[in-house]
Amino acid sequence: MLDRLSFPQPWLSLTLFATWQFLSDGISGGSVVLGIVLAWGIPQLTRGFWPDRPAVIRGWRAPAYALRVLWDIIVASVEVAKLILSPRQPRPMFICYPLELDHPLAISILVSTISLTPGTVGADVSDDNKLILIHSLDAEDEQEVIDTIRARYERPLLEMFR
Amino acid sequence: MSTFAEYAVSALLLVGGAFTLIGAIGLARLPDFYTRLHGPTKATTVGVGAIVVSSVIYFSTLGRGIGIEEVLITAFLFMTAPVSANFLAKAAMHLEVKTTENTRGQTWDQ
């Protein structure tokens, strides 16, 4: 019974509570009550889906990674825009990317990053978490795409999650 | 509102509108399902991003504080766009949607 009333993930609960306060129009009694209900209910409902936490999270590396991804989104969006407006046909390719990361949370961040940066969509993760299938909009060479993702995104994530 | 802020807001709105339009053109022009998947997750990211930043600047200069709601909208968008793209791609693979002839590489069947 007490277990049902607990907060299994304090940081998630805190984030949810703060987010709700920012989304409501100013802090009031109602927004605080609803915020507490959400901060309790959402972690309780989703607790079965969360993977175990990685042993080490180096959080101070996250802002640098986020800035790099943001910059890449802008640069690559311009390239996709050019491709869409140019008369030549794109050269799409399916690429199997061998993962070095093994933690589920890190993998989902990597796949999201791949999907957000224009030119590539993360299509699937293999059942044993060893491969990702990437669809690339306009690729010259399979190895080139793999090397870029390895150097720009996977290595920093490897540093971040141990 | 200062002249500089006005120029910044106008420029960002134009950039955002242009990218959203290009994303829509891409949706119509690209040859198969998988390539069309790149439109909504991509060009639109920058399009909506630029419009949201212009909204932040506009409401900040009106003196109502920095619009944290817009920043949260961007964060939600960046979290949900890859997930929906991933599900669409998985569904397409499951249904064995046809790819264009010049697509190299294979999809999985698992």
Side-chain angles (χ1 to χ4, degrees), chain A:
Chain A
M1 183 62 203
L2 269 180
D3 189 45
R4 279 278 156 222
L5 291 173
S6 67
F7 295 91
Q9 283 154 305
W11 285 109
L12 177 65
S13 297
L14 205 64
T15 314
L16 285 169
F17 183 77
T19 308
W20 189 255
Q21 302 316 313
F22 283 128
L23 283 177
S24 352
D25 215 7
I27 297 174
S28 62
S31 77
V32 169
V33 170
L34 199 51
I36 291 172
V37 170
L38 289 172
W40 167 76
I42 292 176
Q44 286 287 353
L45 284 174
T46 58
R47 66 194 303 182
F49 302 109
W50 286 87
D52 297 326
R53 288 169 63 85
V56 180
I57 303 179
R58 296 196 177 89
W60 71 89
R61 288 179 190 271
Y65 183 76
L67 279 181
R68 165 179 288 183
V69 171
L70 218 58
W71 176 245
D72 284 4
I73 288 173
I74 295 168
V75 169
S77 286
V78 173
E79 262 166 41
V80 171
K82 270 195 223 150
L83 177 76
I84 287 173
L85 295 178
S86 80
R88 79 178 171 85
Q89 285 292 311
R91 297 158 298 176
M93 187 197 267
F94 282 103
I95 298 163
C96 273
Y97 180 84
L99 278 167
E100 278 176 19
L101 291 164
D102 53 4
H103 194 272
L105 181 64
I107 293 174
S108 67
I109 292 177
L110 180 68
V111 176
S112 298
T113 310
I114 290 169
S115 293
L116 274 179
T117 45
T120 48
V121 166
D124 204 358
V125 181
S126 69
D127 291 337
D128 57 359
N129 286 357
K130 291 274 193 309
L131 285 171
I132 3 182
L133 183 66
I134 296 170
H135 183 266
S136 175
L137 180 58
D138 191 46
E140 292 252 358
D141 176 37
E142 181 169 4
Q143 199 56 42
E144 196 188 306
V145 177
I146 292 177
D147 290 343
T148 317
I149 292 173
R150 179 92 66 212
R152 282 195 79 79
Y153 310 122
E154 194 174 18
R155 288 273 147 75
L157 282 174
L158 272 171
E159 293 282 312
M160 222 180 327
F161 297 96
R162 276 285 152 78

Side-chain angles (χ1 to χ4, degrees), chain A residues 22 77 83-84 86 88 90-94 96 115 118-120 122-127 131 133 135 137 139-140, chain B residues 19 22 26 29 34-35 38 42 46 68-69 72 78 82 86 89-90 93 100 102-108 110:
Chain A
F22 283 128
S77 286
L83 177 76
I84 287 173
S86 80
R88 79 178 171 85
R91 297 158 298 176
M93 187 197 267
F94 282 103
C96 273
S115 293
T120 48
D124 204 358
V125 181
S126 69
D127 291 337
L131 285 171
L133 183 66
H135 183 266
L137 180 58
E140 292 252 358
Chain B
F19 268 104
I22 291 168
R29 210 187 79 88
Y34 292 100
T35 48
H38 291 265
K42 306 316 170 38
V46 171
I68 192 102
E69 287 97 340
L72 286 173
F78 276 37
N86 182 250
K90 274 188 111 138
M93 277 158 61
T100 50
N102 66 344
T103 304
R104 290 149 299 163
Q106 285 293 316
T107 57
W108 298 339
Q110 59 164 335

